[in-house]
Amino acid sequence: MRQHKLALCKEHYLEWIPEQTARFIKKYEMFAHDEKILVAVSGGKDSLSLWHILIKLGYQADGLYLGLGIDEGINYSHESQRLTEEFAASHNLKLHIVDIEKEYGQPIPVIAERSHRGHGKPCAVCGLAKRHEMNRIARDLGYDVLATGHNLDDEAAVLFGNTLNWSSEYLLRQGPVLPGTAGLARKVKPLCRFYEREMTAYAIMSGIEYIYEECPFADGSQSIFYKESLNQLETARPGAKLIFYLNFLEAKKSGKLFLEKNVELANLHPCPRCGQPTSTPDQCSFCRMIEKTQSETG
Ligand code: SF4
Ligand code: ZN
């Protein structure tokens, strides 16, 4: 892990990931040990690993699998459901399965086609249905919190997209925890600080059988393009993705993200040397720099 300047053997790696997860759960105040967690599982490495880790840490976590009815490619939905069920059975865990087609009479691709949303791709409809159903099950079955397996690569790609568009509403809502409101379950992302390859390594070393294929509709999506761009950046500057995400969280927390709203002009005072307005204590940064260079040459 170049970004942490850390190398671990298998045994310690399998301890390190849950330890770090526990640290993030605490740091961002995601949930407590007496709360009931619903983990959204897709059959992929991230969500199954998340479930695995939460159980290892002693949390009460049940799974929710949403059958989207995506039969394209390798029969994606069928295969991902099979692997999710196998995981739950082999670890003796409770899994809720909601089949969209049984529930609403039509699978996701058909709903997408009929509703004419999302320009020929079912992803907008799929995302909407997933959010709706996850919240419905969490609320109806009395779960305190909904956990998803989003990793750092996912979060950095979303952040990148939101920043390119300056989508301030989305930026304000993005983070490891989205607090619950009346009728909406609290949402948490305990893996949001792990790189995708760290989660792959965790799943493989833990012997978790997961679906390797992406959903066939993910091909050519904007988020994959953003991920590839960020990977190039990461190759040139290891840790860039993590810094991008963490500095965003920091800026948001300190209220510095949306400058116009938050920087009070009243905090400016005239620099005693040049008279221009400045927010730094005493002299402005320019005068301070000049003074320093002059005192060094002099
Ligand atoms: Fe749904 Fe597949 Fe699109 Fe993801 S890529 S939002 S699973 S249709
Ligand atoms: Zn509704």
Side-chain angles (χ1 to χ4, degrees), residues 1 17 23 25 48 65 69 90 95 98 100 116 138 144 154 157 160 164 180 182 184 192 226 245 248 256 267 273 290:
M1 291 161 285
I17 292 279
R23 196 164 76 79
I25 291 171
L48 290 180
Y65 177 84
S90 64
L95 174 66
V98 173
I100 298 284
H116 302 289
D144 297 296
D154 299 322
F160 191 42
L164 287 179
L184 280 182
C192 65
Y226 291 155
Y245 184 61
F248 158 71
K256 284 183 192 147
N267 282 344
R273 184 164 160 153
I290 294 296

Side-chain angles (χ1 to χ4, degrees), residues 68 70 122-123 126 130 215 217-218:
L68 306 169
I70 296 172
C123 297
C126 183
K130 282 195 270 197
C215 170
F217 293 115

